Amino acid sequence: MRVRVFEVGGGARVGARVAYVDGPGMDAVDGQRLARRLGAPLTVLDVTPRRDDCERRLRVFTPTRELPLSMEAAWCAAAAYERGLTVEMGVTATAVRAAEGAWTAALPTPVLGQRAVEDRATVATALGLGDGDLDDARPVLAGSCGVNVLVVPVGTRGALERVRLHPEAWQRVMEKAKHVGALVMATEGGGREGRFVGSPSGLWDGTGCALALAPWALSQSREGTLGADARYALRGEGEFGMVVEVALDDDGTWTMRGAARLVSDGRVVTAT
């Protein structure tokens, strides 16, 4: 099995690492076991597609769980094949194309929940914030763009700097929900800056960040502040720095753009 490690994101700071694995017999590989062995934040298995409209199928793992979707995985596939292609992830077909030195992939239609989280104080505590840091004018909502997240509006950019996930408090917020993390958005400056915090079970501080940005952009569009071809840049903080861009194109398609840079190329010698 060949293992190529990519750094994904874009801009001056790129540091989110993805192990991309392919080779003969990949369909029979225990992906979760391999992901634990490799220890990368994300491990992507390139396997045989089930859909006729896709060239490859990607299975995406953190060291502890399989994810239904990852744009970072799609970018790495395009970089590995050195061309645009259509890939299958979960039940979704995603077209990846070259875009000015980066890769652009289509996102599923974003969806926001209709019921706001009532216990805002517990949400704030789970993120290391005070209740007064949250934006009182906007609700805390669940959102999905292929991966489920909690969208948490805060008032200022300064609040973003103070976000620190507290696992026990986070579990009280989530209870039985299967969100991979929280997207904290500063409404100061039009809501165009955000920070994703991964759940304790995910061990990944990048997946879902821009996927969650699209539902936030959708919520802004309901207020009449986001038009066609609007673009939101998200700069990740912490250990895994990323810069990605989510856009609502003229045809109503949501897309996500970022880079994938090869940093190492090797092989797994023994079967897993």
Side-chain angles (χ1 to χ4, degrees):
M1 289 181 288
R2 183 180 181 184
V3 181
R4 281 164 285 187
V5 177
F6 291 92
E7 287 185 337
V8 296
R13 185 183 179 201
V14 184
R17 297 213 165 192
V18 179
Y20 189 90
V21 189
D22 59 8
M26 290 301 301
D27 292 355
V29 170
D30 184 336
Q32 191 63 76
R33 182 180 176 189
L34 179 61
R36 287 195 297 268
R37 178 183 173 188
L38 293 178
L42 279 187
T43 295
V44 180
L45 270 61
D46 182 329
V47 300
T48 305
R50 299 167 298 184
R51 299 173 53 132
D52 293 337
D53 58 348
C54 296
E55 297 176 66
R56 303 303 302 164
R57 177 186 174 207
L58 306 180
R59 297 188 65 193
V60 187
F61 297 86
T62 73
T64 61
R65 63 180 292 184
E66 184 171 3
L67 298 177
L69 182 71
S70 168
M71 291 299 103
E72 295 94 331
W75 297 336
C76 291
Y81 284 89
E82 299 182 335
R83 60 177 175 82
L85 73 166
T86 302
V87 297
E88 172 189 351
M89 289 183 287
V91 297
T92 302
T94 300
V96 191
R97 64 181 187 272
E100 299 176 356
W103 298 102
T104 296
L107 289 165
T109 302
V111 177
L112 280 174
Q114 299 300 314
R115 184 176 178 180
V117 174
E118 296 180 359
D119 191 354
R120 294 165 61 91
T122 300
V123 172
T125 300
L127 297 172
L129 300 174
D131 193 17
D133 289 319
L134 303 187
D135 186 335
D136 292 334
R138 292 175 171 83
V140 176
L141 294 171
S144 177
C145 197
V147 173
N148 297 330
V149 297
L150 197 66
V151 183
V152 183
V154 297
T156 67
R157 297 182 182 95
L160 293 180
E161 301 296 328
R162 300 197 303 277
V163 169
R164 297 292 185 275
L165 189 74
H166 292 255
E168 292 184 3
W170 172 258
Q171 293 299 340
R172 290 196 294 272
V173 171
M174 290 295 95
E175 295 181 349
K176 295 182 181 180
K178 295 182 179 180
H179 296 84
V180 299
L183 177 76
V184 187
M185 297 296 302
T187 56
E188 178 184 29
R192 295 174 184 268
E193 292 187 29
R195 182 174 175 187
F196 179 82
V197 186
S199 74
S201 63
L203 299 181
W204 170 240
D205 208 21
T207 293
C209 57
L211 303 180
L213 187 59
W216 174 258
L218 179 61
S219 73
Q220 296 293 293
S221 71
R222 290 175 179 172
E223 300 174 7
T225 59
L226 178 65
D229 201 32
R231 298 181 180 275
Y232 276 34
L234 177 67
R235 286 166 174 78
E237 302 290 341
E239 182 179 356
F240 306 113
M242 298 176 65
V243 179
V244 296
E245 182 182 81
V246 169
L248 174 60
D249 296 327
D250 291 330
D251 62 359
T253 300
W254 291 90
T255 58
M256 177 173 153
R257 180 186 178 204
R261 182 174 68 90
L262 181 68
V263 293
S264 69
D265 191 343
R267 295 189 178 277
V268 177
V269 177
T270 57
T272 300

